Amino acid sequence: MEKFTAVLTVIARAATGVSFMVIIVAVVVQLLGRSGVISSVVWTEELTRFALLYLAAFGVGLSYRSGNLVNVDIVCEALPEKLAWLLRLLCAVITRAFGLVLVNATWLYVSIGARQTAPSLGVRMDWIHASVLVALLSLSLFAALRIIGMLSGTTDGTPDRLEEDA
């Protein structure tokens, strides 16, 4: 399970990094166009917006894993350890459940985008709307991994802090 989590984390980090690189390239092209170095292009702003959606979609699961999402740690810290563990488990179960409940509605939203295209890029919008589905699945998957880890005893459910955060 730890190897699966590690591989999933690497994939999510890589996808987040690629999304960020697309934003950087699009903004640089946009700046070069606005400063007269190259001819101005219209697709850069739209591409930046779409890449930002995917950046958030791939990053939300990582944020959940590392504890960088909005969290009310003060409540857990004030509770006895057993009760805090139970509260973390309950929150992970609720997060997983909400993510899965929203998948059907999100799929409908994504499928509607197949009939639309982005104005300047000409990309079908279902590819763009799929970022919401990716976000839900990423968050649900990392919540499921926390639940499995807690129930198997390999983790206490506290976020996996990075070494530089410790």
Side-chain angles (χ1 to χ4, degrees):
M1 184 56 70
E2 289 178 29
K3 186 170 183 159
F4 177 72
T5 303
V7 168
L8 185 64
T9 300
V10 167
I11 291 169
R13 283 181 179 169
T16 302
V18 167
S19 299
F20 193 59
M21 288 301 285
V22 169
I23 291 171
I24 291 170
V25 169
V27 169
V28 167
V29 170
Q30 189 175 41
L31 289 172
L32 291 172
R34 287 185 179 179
S35 60
V37 176
I38 63 172
S39 296
S40 186
V41 290
V42 298
W43 51 263
T44 55
E45 188 173 332
E46 197 169 69
L47 181 62
T48 302
R49 252 182 281 140
F50 297 157
L52 185 59
L53 289 171
Y54 273 99
L55 177 88
F58 288 117
V60 71
L62 293 172
S63 297
Y64 181 78
R65 183 172 185 263
S66 68
N68 290 324
L69 286 177
V70 174
N71 201 359
V72 188
D73 292 334
I74 195 165
V75 173
C76 284
E77 290 174 5
L79 296 173
E81 185 55 38
K82 289 245 185 219
L83 198 53
W85 182 90
L86 188 61
L87 183 59
R88 287 190 297 269
L89 179 64
L90 178 65
C91 289
V93 168
I94 290 170
T95 300
R96 169 86 171 155
F98 273 131
L100 292 179
V101 163
L102 292 172
V103 166
N104 282 338
T106 305
W107 185 255
L108 176 63
Y109 172 68
V110 171
S111 64
I112 289 170
R115 297 184 299 247
Q116 304 167 339
T117 56
S120 64
L121 286 175
V123 176
R124 281 187 7 207
M125 288 303 291
D126 56 343
W127 288 100
I128 308 309
H129 294 165
S131 64
V132 180
L133 186 61
V134 169
L136 282 174
L137 294 175
S138 174
L139 187 59
S140 297
L141 190 54
F142 278 102
L145 291 172
R146 182 174 290 176
I147 294 165
I148 292 167
M150 290 180 76
L151 294 177
S152 68
T154 58
T155 181
D156 62 357
T158 55
D160 296 336
R161 302 267 183 211
L162 301 173
E163 283 87 32
E164 55 265 15
D165 290 346

